[in-house]
Amino acid sequence: MKGHFHLFALSAAFSVIAINTGKFSLFLGAWFLWLVYLYFSKRINFVLFVSAFFSFFFFHHYFPAYDPAAVSRPFPENKTYTFTGTIVSDIERSEEKLSFTFLENQTETKLNVVLFDDDERNKRFPYTYYAVCSIKGKFLTPPEATNPFQFDMRRYWFEQGIAGQIIVESAEDIVCTNRNHVLGAIYTFRKNMLQKAKETLHPELSGWQQALIFGDKSGIDEGTEMLFQRWGLSHLLAISGLHVGIILTIVYFFIIRIFQWTKEKARLFVLMFLPVYALLAGGQPSVWRASLMAVVVLIMQWKKWKLSHVDMLSIVFLTLIIGDRHIIFHVGFQFSFLVTLGLILSHEWFKQAENRFDLGLKISFIAQMMIVPLQMHYFFYFQPLAILLNVFVVPYFSLFVIPFCFVSLTFSYLPKYMVTFLETFFLKLNQFFIDFIKAIDKMVNVPFVSGEISLFTACCYYFFLVMMMIALNKKRHRNALLYGLMLTATLTFIIVKPYISSEGLVTMLDIGQGDAFVIELPYRKGVFLIDGGATFDFQTFEPKDNVFQHVIRPYLMGRGIETIDAIFVTHADLDHHGSIRYILEHFDVKEVIVHPYFNLEDKEFKTWRQLGAKITKANVFDEITRNGHSFYVLGPLDDKRDENDNSLVLYTEIGKAHWLFTGDIGKEVEREIASLFHFLDVDIVKVAHHGSDTSTDEQFLKTFRPKYGWISVGRNNRYGHPKEEVLETLETYGVTIFRTDEQGAVQFIFDDEKAYIKPFLNQ
Amino acid sequence: MNRCLWCDEAIVNQFDWLTFFTGGEHQLLCEACLSQLETIRQPVCKKCFKMSNSKRCTDCKRWERFFSGDDPLEKNVSSFRYNEFLQEMIAKWKYRGDYVLGSVFEREIKRAFKFHYHALLKEAVIVPIPLSKSRMDERGFNQSEAIAEMATDDRKKIVQLFERIDDEKQAKKTRAERIFAKNPFKLLKTTNKTVILVDDIYTTGTTLRHAARLLKASGCPAVYAYTLVRG
């Protein structure tokens, strides 16, 4: 077994990739061939060969495989029940909600309990781990993704082993009896420590302390968090080996130098401290990886056992996945192990480093390169310059910020003037540093928007990376350069792919009640949007960014889109133009095209101006040609003195089909267009106004005879769209209907030979 | 468990990018002992492999003068530098009969032959420097033969051409005694093939040249040498 633990860790890793990609036989085959190679070159014996091979099957059954059809619903949805069970997690508190995991007694399933109640009471929520509760709330299964590249909440919960959610209205609906449990005590201790830090320290310092020592990021300014995320620095905000290492160094220093303990005693203390610390630090997988790794190292020193680093990492990996099979789906877990493995395997290369800077660069390079395909898979981009920035930021954090935050735990015992002095020093210096990163962010923020990465490309990437690293290890620099070039070529291929693809798409995104269409021409000759709606707050009428963040942005990034050639905004209603401001902020938009009667006082319009958008007014009968593609403006003919009727009506040919985008026009305007443009062929019509009965005129349908009608409409919307009579009318005229509320996003996919319509949800 | 042949500590295989996938070689020495073996690095004397900045070291120049420009030895290739650690290791191997310990050098010997004598070996034969009968009885094996056997898988390439008359241990002689000693070898057979002599240590190069002189005189076209250690 010794020297071979990694075989089982890899077997688990491969089987989970096989589960996620659905390529069972491919991975099993590769696994088998590799083991055969190891066996015949006498690296492993027959027992190892057989057990490693069959462990693949074991893990394949061990990890839960997501099947949307087979997701169990232990309770009917949307009904209020009283559930009884046990709290089995720490209580997570944020500004607007409180949540925890709950083991329900009857079904023995784990449920996520959420209490949306910004009342002071929930802050004082007195219950903790292992409390027995009766909870009155509504059962919900988490929503599934209905758009390409959208984060799939249902899958996420499933992979975390949670069967559903209980939404609780008021803190009074949760009645528990606390029971003693060591975990409960630790969690309570953590809560008190956090509370104490908040009370005694400057809020900014306490925010950093909470994040870097206790693994609670809620105190970090959101802008800073996003900044760190953009620049591949998030690993600093999640507690990992770096943090644990620094904290252990400080603890060791104190107990050996100051308290004069013996080394053996110190080791025993640290061994007991580590698991407790992992819990105090929020119990994220990266903390567990780092703490358990330290535990293994210490035990080995103690017992004088010898194990290779890869063995140690594998043992920690296997311990964690056997402890909780769901942890393997955790993004932080995957990143953490992949980076550590890369660093371990590169030790020979690190030895070749000429100086500290060189070493820092090498470490940063490996850490970033290891996760590129995963980063692309989850986030659709990566930041190449992050490698350089890390070289500066990591030492700053490890030498200053993290030790300072740890030492600041003692600040409540220091005199006030000293605390104020130290705090001011920290805040000034840290502000300077964050401003420095912000300045870099402004100057050279050039993320590499890759879109979704295919399994094949990811395999090529890792193959060339491994070959390059083998060559570098052996100082075969010419080979290393060759493989490095192949690696670069692979990455280049990822960006160039859309430009050499003959496939084009028209996508009706499912954004709920509202419109958002994305048109992508073949060979990426042009990317156009027609509308970008948002949901909005019914009191303030402010657009929310959730549609943008959860639907529009992931779709565009998933397709590797950074530049939008033009956005047509049909009219000034938030369900059609609420997300435009966010799109302008995050993407390179060349032009926004609106109808001629657009209200210049419209708040969104003003925001766009401030964001520097170039705005064009399109008049009826205009032919708008952008990137060689023409859109014909069929309306509005004149000012209808009604925003819906003033909608920009667009006619265009895409993928040999003729399209009519109608915005929210009413029946009268439809008739007007039908009589003016009766000679036009229409294959696909965007059904006006989400299927409202004020639109979809019979005369209009009779004139154009469209084959397909696309309806963008919210599930169970408050207007009752689409209306039954509209659907009947469409049916009478033989129009095949596609609708977002039932089918999710709808895509028209075409190339030179064929074209087809594909709804995201198959029903 | 795999233990170090020298210090008996458990050996831990630290994987790197290559060995993670190939499973790595079976290590005979632990990391610490391995690091004490000093391999010869460039620049070396092109003739005798002594680490030296000039292309021809002073030793070799002296030999040139000694043979008036007609040195019977074409070239020597060596793998390791002589140091205390290696001295002990070789002593344990050859004087105290730890035969298995020799396998520590196998990979390096194979590499050196492949790298330096690959082309030569198609025609040449390998000739180990013999031990005298009494030494052979004492030690039970000839270290030069052991090296030759590790160098090639083709046993037919290895031929015995000499017999040793002298009984004195080289290690106990001074430099002058060695160089001016009378030739300790007697040729048993002659050969018209190129010869690669094999010995464990090259100190002054006298032994090899005694053998080489006999070979050249009996019609051998060229004599090369491989020695595990360059003193």
Side-chain angles (χ1 to χ4, degrees):
Chain A
M1 228 2 227
K2 213 182 131 200
H4 299 291
F5 283 101
H6 68 293
L7 290 179
F8 298 92
L10 281 176
S11 161
F14 277 148
S15 68
V16 99
I17 304 173
I19 290 170
N20 271 9
T21 55
K23 301 254 189 291
F24 177 74
S25 30
L26 178 76
F27 281 94
L28 181 69
W31 181 239
F32 179 71
L33 287 178
W34 187 50
L35 290 176
V36 164
Y37 162 77
L38 289 179
Y39 177 67
F40 280 104
S41 57
K42 298 202 172 102
R43 313 294 188 205
I44 55 174
N45 58 30
F46 190 68
V47 177
L48 259 175
F49 171 77
V50 171
S51 51
F53 181 65
F54 283 102
S55 72
F56 188 89
F57 294 94
F58 166 75
F59 285 122
H60 199 263
H61 286 282
Y62 180 69
F63 298 121
Y66 179 67
D67 174 5
V71 169
S72 71
R73 290 182 183 73
F75 303 95
E77 291 221 29
N78 256 325
K79 286 205 174 154
T80 307
Y81 290 92
T82 302
F83 301 86
T84 52
T86 317
I87 299 179
V88 288
S89 76
D90 192 6
I91 314 291
E92 276 182 50
R93 292 153 217 267
S94 69
E95 287 292 313
E96 72 280 2
K97 65 174 188 185
L98 176 152
S99 65
F100 55 85
T101 310
F102 183 67
L103 184 65
E104 204 272 334
N105 277 349
Q106 266 186 341
T107 56
E108 290 191 351
T109 49
K110 281 187 186 170
L111 304 172
N112 174 255
V113 179
V114 186
L115 168 61
F116 289 102
D117 181 4
D118 44 17
D119 198 82
E120 263 305 300
R121 268 175 314 194
N122 88 40
K123 294 233 173 66
R124 276 186 276 116
F125 187 78
Y127 310 116
T128 171
Y129 186 88
Y130 215 48
V132 181
C133 306
S134 109
I135 299 174
K136 203 176 106 197
K138 232 193 259 171
F139 178 81
L140 281 182
T141 41
E144 62 184 331
T146 61
N147 289 283
F149 309 113
Q150 188 181 2
F151 183 74
D152 195 332
M153 217 40 149
R154 189 170 293 173
R155 181 183 189 129
Y156 173 77
W157 285 119
F158 173 82
E159 287 174 346
Q160 295 306 312
I162 288 167
Q165 258 181 330
I166 308 173
I167 308 291
V168 184
E169 303 245 314
S170 144
E172 280 154 4
D173 292 341
I174 304 180
V175 182
C176 311
T177 324
N178 271 336
R179 283 192 295 174
N180 285 335
H181 193 280
V182 61
L183 286 179
I186 291 172
Y187 291 140
T188 309
F189 180 66
R190 175 172 190 252
K191 190 182 90 184
N192 294 340
M193 292 284 274
L194 288 172
Q195 193 56 39
K196 198 171 174 188
K198 263 186 206 155
E199 282 160 14
T200 49
L201 296 175
H202 185 281
E204 206 184 316
L205 175 58
S206 99
W208 283 104
Q209 191 193 62
Q210 281 170 43
L212 301 179
I213 310 296
F214 294 108
D216 177 358
K217 277 188 278 196
S218 62
I220 301 270
D221 166 51
E222 205 179 320
T224 309
E225 201 185 327
M226 298 304 282
L227 181 75
F228 273 53
Q229 205 177 71
R230 274 204 294 285
W231 281 91
L233 298 167
S234 302
H235 65 100
L236 289 169
L237 297 182
I239 298 178
S240 64
L242 183 74
H243 307 67
V244 173
I246 292 166
I247 290 168
L248 276 192
T249 311
I250 299 176
V251 168
Y252 255 111
F253 174 81
F254 268 92
I255 55 185
I256 290 182
R257 291 294 164 82
I258 312 281
F259 300 130
Q260 307 267 322
W261 286 18
T262 60
K263 271 195 183 154
E264 285 68 28
K265 217 167 139 191
R267 182 158 56 213
L268 212 60
F269 172 77
V270 169
L271 269 177
M272 290 191 293
F273 164 79
L274 277 166
V276 177
Y277 175 67
L279 289 168
L280 283 181
Q284 288 295 306
S286 60
V287 190
W288 276 114
R289 195 218 85 232
S291 308
L292 284 184
M293 198 79 181
V295 166
V296 172
V297 170
L298 286 170
I299 292 181
M300 279 178 24
Q301 276 178 6
W302 184 18
K303 298 281 178 194
K304 299 220 162 45
W305 289 340
K306 289 204 168 173
L307 276 179
S308 74
H309 297 144
V310 171
D311 268 351
M312 289 193 256
L313 186 70
S314 306
I315 289 170
V316 172
F317 180 90
L318 292 167
T319 311
L320 286 174
I321 58 171
I322 288 164
D324 177 7
R325 70 183 75 188
H326 301 290
I327 203 171
I328 200 158
F329 296 102
H330 201 288
V331 182
F333 178 89
Q334 298 168 357
F335 276 30
S336 184
F337 276 94
L338 208 50
V339 168
T340 314
L341 177 67
L343 296 178
I344 289 175
L345 295 183
S346 305
H347 68 281
E348 280 298 324
W349 189 51
F350 294 154
K351 274 191 211 157
Q352 295 168 24
E354 278 155 26
N355 50 48
R356 270 165 189 263
F357 179 77
D358 190 18
L359 180 66
L361 203 59
K362 280 181 167 158
I363 291 176
S364 178
F365 176 78
I366 291 294
Q368 296 290 327
M369 293 303 274
M370 283 307 282
I371 56 171
V372 167
L374 270 192
Q375 162 88 23
M376 286 179 182
H377 174 67
Y378 289 118
F379 306 110
F380 312 126
Y381 75 95
F382 97 106
Q383 179 64 270
L385 289 170
I387 293 173
L388 270 177
L389 196 65
N390 267 284
V391 179
F392 298 100
V393 182
V394 171
Y396 168 70
F397 265 76
S398 32
L399 293 176
F400 178 66
V401 183
I402 300 170
F404 191 93
C405 285
F406 187 62
V407 173
S408 65
L409 285 175
T410 62
F411 278 11
S412 52
Y413 306 104
L414 294 182
K416 188 81 190 124
Y417 70 94
M418 261 177 84
V419 173
T420 318
F421 171 76
L422 287 167
E423 272 180 355
T424 317
F425 173 67
F426 174 85
L427 295 175
K428 283 260 150 58
L429 187 65
N430 202 42
Q431 195 53 51
F432 172 78
F433 209 84
I434 301 287
D435 285 346
F436 164 72
I437 304 176
K438 276 185 183 156
I440 290 176
D441 183 50
K442 264 212 176 117
M443 282 187 295
V444 284
N445 182 19
V446 276
F448 184 113
V449 176
S450 59
E452 173 66 298
I453 181 170
S454 69
L455 179 66
F456 178 72
T457 323
C459 290
C460 287
Y461 176 93
Y462 278 119
F463 176 76
F464 292 129
L465 179 67
V466 167
M467 294 308 283
M468 181 178 79
M469 289 317 298
I470 291 174
L472 280 176
N473 256 357
K474 301 223 159 201
K475 294 195 195 169
R476 292 190 188 134
H477 290 122
R478 205 142 40 112
N479 282 2
L481 183 69
L482 185 75
Y483 288 117
L485 286 174
M486 303 293 270
L487 195 60
T488 318
T490 311
L491 290 174
T492 314
F493 172 73
I494 295 171
I495 346 176
V496 171
K497 214 168 111 190
Y499 295 88
I500 53 173
S501 162
S502 60
E503 192 179 87
L505 294 146
V506 179
T507 307
M508 170 167 68
L509 290 172
D510 173 19
I511 63 163
Q513 185 73 5
D515 275 13
F517 291 85
V518 183
I519 297 166
E520 296 158 75
L521 299 180
Y523 307 103
R524 186 117 320 158
K525 280 188 182 144
V527 175
F528 307 102
L529 261 62
I530 297 177
D531 285 338
T535 49
F536 48 93
D537 191 316
F538 273 102
Q539 262 113 46
T540 61
F541 273 86
E542 278 288 324
K544 294 196 231 165
D545 72 346
N546 57 345
V547 165
F548 172 74
Q549 292 295 358
H550 301 320
V551 181
I552 298 175
R553 185 180 194 197
Y555 180 77
L556 292 175
M557 299 210 31
R559 293 286 307 163
I561 294 169
E562 282 174 282
T563 306
I564 297 158
D565 296 295
I567 303 179
F568 294 91
V569 177
T570 59
H571 65 293
D573 277 344
L574 285 171
D575 60 338
H576 290 255
H577 78 337
S579 287
I580 304 292
R581 55 156 97 178
Y582 303 112
I583 299 172
L584 287 170
E585 235 178 284
H586 290 89
F587 291 85
D588 173 20
V589 180
K590 292 200 184 137
E591 193 178 10
V592 177
I593 301 171
V594 299
H595 66 71
Y597 314 109
F598 212 86
N599 182 8
L600 302 183
E601 292 307 308
D602 180 65
K603 213 165 87 227
E604 293 305 307
F605 189 80
K606 283 183 172 169
T607 316
W608 305 343
R609 275 272 165 83
Q610 280 162 13
L611 287 164
K614 182 192 164 210
I615 297 169
T616 310
K617 289 195 169 178
N619 292 304
V620 69
F621 306 126
D622 277 356
E623 178 184 347
I624 298 176
T625 306
R626 297 291 179 270
N627 302 42
H629 186 88
S630 293
F631 292 88
Y632 302 90
V633 182
L634 310 192
L637 192 61
D638 46 26
D639 190 352
K640 306 290 181 196
R641 313 224 161 252
D642 175 271
E643 198 50 40
N644 284 346
D645 283 341
N646 271 342
S647 287
L648 203 54
V649 178
L650 296 166
Y651 178 79
T652 187
E653 190 194 327
I654 307 166
K656 293 180 190 136
H658 301 88
W659 297 72
L660 188 57
F661 292 95
T662 54
D664 276 358
I665 56 171
K667 285 187 174 174
E668 208 167 308
V669 182
E670 284 180 336
R671 279 195 293 272
E672 188 180 88
I673 285 167
S675 65
L676 264 173
F677 301 99
H678 58 86
F679 50 88
L680 292 176
D681 278 338
V682 174
D683 298 304
I684 302 173
V685 66
K686 190 221 86 125
V687 176
H689 206 172
H690 325 290
S692 158
D693 55 4
T694 52
S695 306
T696 311
D697 183 73
E698 286 208 33
Q699 188 55 45
F700 175 80
L701 291 181
K702 223 182 260 173
T703 310
F704 291 122
R705 294 276 170 180
K707 293 186 196 73
Y708 302 99
W710 286 23
I711 308 176
S712 187
V713 62
R715 280 169 197 74
N716 312 315
N717 63 80
R718 52 165 61 195
Y719 314 100
H721 295 162
K723 292 284 185 196
E724 203 46 53
E725 51 179 288
V726 171
L727 295 176
E728 275 165 23
T729 315
L730 286 166
E731 213 165 294
T732 316
Y733 288 90
V735 182
T736 309
I737 297 163
F738 288 95
R739 47 194 281 192
T740 56
D741 60 340
E742 287 179 354
Q743 292 161 307
V746 178
Q747 289 187 298
F748 174 79
I749 303 171
F750 65 96
D751 61 18
D752 302 333
E753 277 116 46
K754 58 178 189 322
Y756 58 96
I757 295 173
K758 183 181 161 231
F760 186 76
L761 303 176
N762 292 313
Q763 283 179 337
Chain B
M1 199 188 328
N2 191 14
R3 289 186 176 277
C4 177
L5 278 183
W6 183 250
C7 69
D8 208 36
E9 276 292 315
I11 295 177
V12 181
N13 265 332
Q14 293 296 3
F15 284 122
D16 64 24
W17 281 98
L18 179 66
T19 53
F20 185 71
F21 295 99
T22 60
E25 302 273 340
H26 184 72
Q27 300 287 344
L28 297 172
L29 290 183
C30 71
E31 198 72 15
C33 292
L34 204 59
S35 69
Q36 292 190 65
L37 282 181
E38 272 184 274
T39 42
I40 291 177
R41 286 183 310 271
Q42 298 292 338
V44 293
C45 166
K46 294 276 174 286
K47 177 130 189 168
C48 73
F49 251 65
K50 185 180 184 148
M51 278 171 75
S52 151
N53 282 323
S54 54
K55 281 187 180 170
R56 182 86 17 126
C57 68
T58 44
D59 270 13
C60 289
K61 280 180 190 153
R62 205 182 296 162
W63 279 117
E64 291 283 329
R65 278 202 303 279
F66 187 85
F67 290 106
S68 347
D70 192 21
D71 189 341
L73 187 69
E74 299 291 329
K75 183 188 179 176
N76 170 58
V77 170
S78 293
S79 290
F80 298 102
R81 277 180 87 181
Y82 204 51
N83 62 14
E84 237 171 81
F85 179 76
L86 198 57
Q87 192 181 0
E88 276 180 49
M89 205 178 231
I90 285 182
K92 192 173 175 194
W93 179 39
K94 70 181 194 185
Y95 300 137
R96 277 174 271 147
D98 191 346
Y99 182 76
V100 182
L101 192 57
S103 53
V104 162
F105 307 116
E106 179 160 357
R107 210 181 308 153
E108 168 56 25
I109 293 169
K110 282 209 159 68
R111 189 205 64 82
F113 263 80
K114 202 175 166 198
F115 191 80
H116 296 282
Y117 291 144
H118 185 67
L120 211 59
L121 254 181
K122 279 180 195 137
E123 295 303 322
V125 289
I126 298 175
V127 178
I129 297 290
L131 290 180
S132 67
K133 181 132 190 341
S134 55
R135 288 276 162 271
M136 191 66 185
D137 291 345
E138 211 175 287
R139 294 184 194 166
F141 75 99
N142 176 357
Q143 74 276 4
S144 304
E145 256 175 64
I147 294 173
E149 278 162 17
M150 287 189 265
T152 175
D153 295 325
D154 184 4
R155 287 293 170 97
K156 276 180 238 144
K157 287 262 171 210
I158 305 169
V159 289
Q160 283 290 1
L161 296 181
F162 297 108
E163 184 185 43
R164 198 169 187 132
I165 339 168
D166 165 42
D167 209 18
E168 203 79 24
K169 273 185 196 160
Q170 287 283 358
K172 295 196 171 154
K173 291 179 186 166
T174 66
R175 184 183 169 87
E177 274 172 356
R178 288 189 208 184
I179 291 174
F180 295 105
K182 115 176 191 291
N183 199 325
F185 300 114
K186 196 176 115 192
L187 207 55
L188 299 174
K189 277 182 271 181
T190 60
T191 181
N192 53 4
K193 284 184 177 165
T194 301
V195 164
I196 302 169
L197 291 168
V198 170
D199 202 358
D200 53 349
I201 303 180
Y202 181 117
T203 312
T204 61
T206 316
T207 312
L208 289 173
R209 280 176 177 87
H210 279 311
R213 220 153 54 158
L214 285 179
L215 285 168
K216 290 281 278 231
S218 68
C220 169
V223 181
Y224 292 80
Y226 172 80
T227 48
L228 186 61
V229 184
R230 177 68 177 89

